[in-house]
Amino acid sequence: MILVDKQLQSLRRNTRGSKDKYALLPTKNGKERTITAAPFVLDLLWKTKQAQDANRKSCGNVFRENGLIFTDPVGNRVTPQALYRAFKLVVTELGMKDVRFHDLRHSYAVISLKSGDDVKTVQENLEHATASFTLDTYGHVTEKMKRDSADRMQAFIQSVRS
């Protein structure tokens, strides 16, 4: 389980010659939430923590303690620009250069629904106000989904006939 109770938020827009200031503040809606993560996500977070601990040890007093999970080797926050550049590098290498960062959220939602996650779970994971918004935005019905539904109905009818 992952508890999300803060977000890293810019306090001031960067003006020429000044650095942005950031702070850990309450989430957008002020509510904390708990995410049940897949085991591979927890493994990646654990490996990230181990790498950060090793960096902390090797850097000594230079390492910046700030409570962040994703940092550079000396503990500084990862900037939005650096994250975006890394993302674009990966998607370009995969031959998908037109993919936007927000497309990850869209893909997660569609794949979750197609895989059989119930809409209420997907709604909560995405922090949408209503399940109808989640379905209207991400509930693309595919031919495979229609076939799977027909197959489930067939299996149900056969089970009650027996």
Side-chain angles (χ1 to χ4, degrees):
M1 304 281 266
I2 301 170
L3 174 67
V4 178
D5 62 353
K6 294 178 193 67
Q7 65 177 339
L8 187 64
Q9 198 171 70
S10 176
L11 299 177
R12 179 178 50 152
R13 292 278 176 206
N14 191 350
T15 57
R16 193 178 289 216
S18 67
K19 284 190 167 188
D20 284 350
K21 297 206 183 256
Y22 286 83
L24 285 172
L25 299 174
T27 60
K28 184 166 58 173
N29 64 7
K31 296 179 183 176
E32 63 182 38
R33 66 182 175 152
T34 304
I35 299 169
T36 303
F40 85 92
V41 172
L42 297 176
D43 288 344
L44 285 172
L45 286 171
W46 180 249
K47 288 175 184 171
T48 299
K49 182 188 181 321
Q50 289 176 316
Q52 192 178 62
D53 289 345
N55 288 338
R56 181 182 293 107
K57 191 174 186 177
S58 67
C59 291
N61 291 339
V62 175
F63 192 86
R64 183 169 179 200
E65 296 291 349
N66 53 26
L68 299 177
I69 296 169
F70 302 105
T71 63
D72 70 8
V74 293
N76 294 313
R77 69 178 173 81
V78 176
T79 66
Q81 297 83 2
L83 179 62
Y84 180 77
R85 281 192 305 271
F87 171 75
K88 290 309 276 184
L89 181 66
V90 169
V91 296
T92 300
E93 286 177 2
L94 293 171
M96 303 169 9
K97 67 178 182 166
D98 294 332
V99 173
R100 300 165 305 144
F101 196 78
H102 190 76
D103 292 337
L104 296 173
R105 181 177 172 88
H106 184 86
S107 297
Y108 164 80
V110 172
I111 291 167
S112 292
L113 291 169
K114 282 184 179 179
S115 298
D117 285 355
D118 65 276
V119 68
K120 288 299 286 182
T121 300
V122 177
Q123 171 206 341
E124 286 188 23
N125 286 342
L126 296 173
E127 255 189 6
H128 289 159
T130 65
S132 62
F133 178 83
T134 305
L135 281 176
D136 289 346
T137 306
Y138 301 109
H140 316 301
V141 178
T142 65
E143 289 304 315
K144 181 182 182 325
M145 292 168 77
K146 290 177 186 177
R147 279 192 309 275
D148 290 347
S149 176
D151 291 344
R152 283 191 299 275
M153 186 54 64
Q154 180 67 26
F156 172 76
I157 296 298
Q158 287 177 336
S159 72
V160 293
R161 284 175 138 186
S162 304

